[in-house]
Amino acid sequence: MKSTANRNSIFLVALLATFFFQPVHAQSAKAGASAGKDWGVKSLQIASAAQGGGFHALATPLAPFWEKDVGVPVVVSTSRGSNENVALLERGEVTLAMVTGASQAEAWNSEGSFKKPYRNGRLMFAFYPSYAFFFTKADGSINSVKDLKGKRVGLGPGASTWDFYMGRILSAHGLEKGKDYTPVYADWTDMATQVGDGTLEASAALETTPAAYQLGEERGVKPLTMDPAAINKAVADYWYYFKGKVKANSMPKGYKGGDFQTVGWMGPYMIAK
């Protein structure tokens, strides 16, 4: 698939990230290897998410590099995901955690499911930018995001994260959840399958999620045009969005047009207490 190189590059970024966060002061290899023990730390734990998911796949390559550097075991643990990771870090049950910008922002501001401010997380780095698009069947009558009014639209695996990202893109287009469209939450593969069999009119996707690209290879898909004014509004209203584009040859098979204009955001993030 066309996106294979892009997805593979994410894992390269995860590996390279380990080198950008080495100690900047000069020290011998022996001193570096004993750093964790000198701090009185017996192990470091990275909270990721479920096995088989993106968080776990990104965190796993980091562990052996950091373990070698600090001289103590570095363990990648599973969790229920970003929101739980914020709480685990706050309670001191893990040393490091992977989070989305959505979870970190809501935790900091005591919004959403967070009933108090969670402000012990400190940003280490972001893994990569994400770029969003919505798609439908190649032979469907829907052509733009604004055409999603009155439709069933897949937003992502869960409301807590994907209302924050995909839902606000729709809101910038004048479409409000429950009033102008019906949201559907499922994993990326399930949503693409439902688009393919016609039980779902359209679904959200990222340049880094393979399901839309797989459907494109099998049947072709139609990414939906975003309104430039809506892109500007989303970027102006929400700090984490930025204007972005996906190269035409990196869009799913069936896309016709030049570089795809969209919004993006950074993340996931690695945070430490």
Side-chain angles (χ1 to χ4, degrees):
M1 293 182 289
K2 294 177 181 178
S3 63
T4 300
N6 294 327
R7 294 194 301 277
N8 287 345
S9 68
I10 292 170
F11 294 94
L12 177 61
V13 168
L15 293 173
L16 290 175
T18 64
F19 298 105
F20 286 107
F21 294 91
Q22 304 298 316
V24 295
H25 57 281
Q27 63 176 7
S28 68
K30 183 177 179 180
S34 64
K37 296 175 182 177
D38 292 343
W39 302 332
V41 175
K42 294 182 179 180
S43 67
L44 301 177
Q45 188 170 352
I46 305 173
S48 62
Q51 288 189 354
F55 277 19
H56 197 268
L58 287 167
T60 298
L62 298 178
F65 285 91
W66 286 350
E67 187 169 300
K68 182 178 180 181
D69 187 56
V70 301
V72 298
V74 177
V75 179
V76 178
S77 64
T78 59
S79 75
R80 290 192 296 270
S82 188
N83 282 10
E84 183 182 24
N85 291 351
V86 171
L88 289 171
L89 190 76
E90 184 83 9
R91 295 196 298 266
E93 295 181 25
V94 298
T95 320
L96 305 159
M98 294 186 65
V99 300
T100 64
S103 293
Q104 185 67 358
E106 290 186 338
W108 189 270
N109 295 313
S110 186
E111 297 173 346
S113 63
F114 297 96
K115 305 306 180 186
K116 65 175 185 178
Y118 287 73
R119 296 187 174 179
N120 279 331
R122 296 296 180 265
L123 175 66
M124 292 180 67
F125 59 88
F127 279 89
Y128 55 85
S130 295
Y131 297 100
F133 61 92
F134 292 84
F135 68 96
T136 188
K137 294 193 298 183
D139 59 356
S141 61
I142 302 171
N143 295 302
S144 71
V145 171
K146 284 190 172 181
D147 293 338
L148 294 176
K149 187 170 184 177
K151 309 298 185 185
R152 296 176 71 250
V153 183
L155 293 187
S160 61
T161 295
W162 298 104
D163 279 358
F164 189 94
Y165 288 123
M166 301 302 189
R168 289 178 175 178
I169 295 174
L170 295 179
S171 180
H173 283 81
L175 302 175
E176 299 303 327
K177 183 177 81 168
K179 176 184 176 182
D180 299 307
Y181 68 93
T182 301
V184 174
Y185 303 99
D187 67 42
W188 303 109
T189 300
D190 285 346
M191 292 192 299
T193 299
Q194 290 180 53
V195 170
D197 64 24
T199 58
L200 192 62
E201 283 93 345
S203 174
L206 301 173
E207 187 193 9
T208 53
T209 53
Y213 290 85
Q214 182 63 45
L215 182 62
E217 292 293 324
E218 294 171 355
R219 306 186 189 183
V221 299
K222 184 195 298 183
L224 306 179
T225 303
M226 292 192 187
D227 179 52
I231 292 175
N232 289 338
K233 178 174 174 54
V235 171
D237 288 351
Y238 301 107
W239 62 268
Y240 48 88
Y241 287 138
F242 53 81
K243 292 183 183 179
K245 64 182 179 181
V246 180
K247 294 288 187 181
N249 62 3
S250 292
M251 293 296 288
K253 188 174 181 179
Y255 174 67
K256 299 176 182 178
D259 292 348
F260 186 82
Q261 304 301 313
T262 182
V263 296
W265 58 87
M266 294 302 297
Y269 297 94
M270 184 72 76
I271 61 173
K273 189 166 184 178

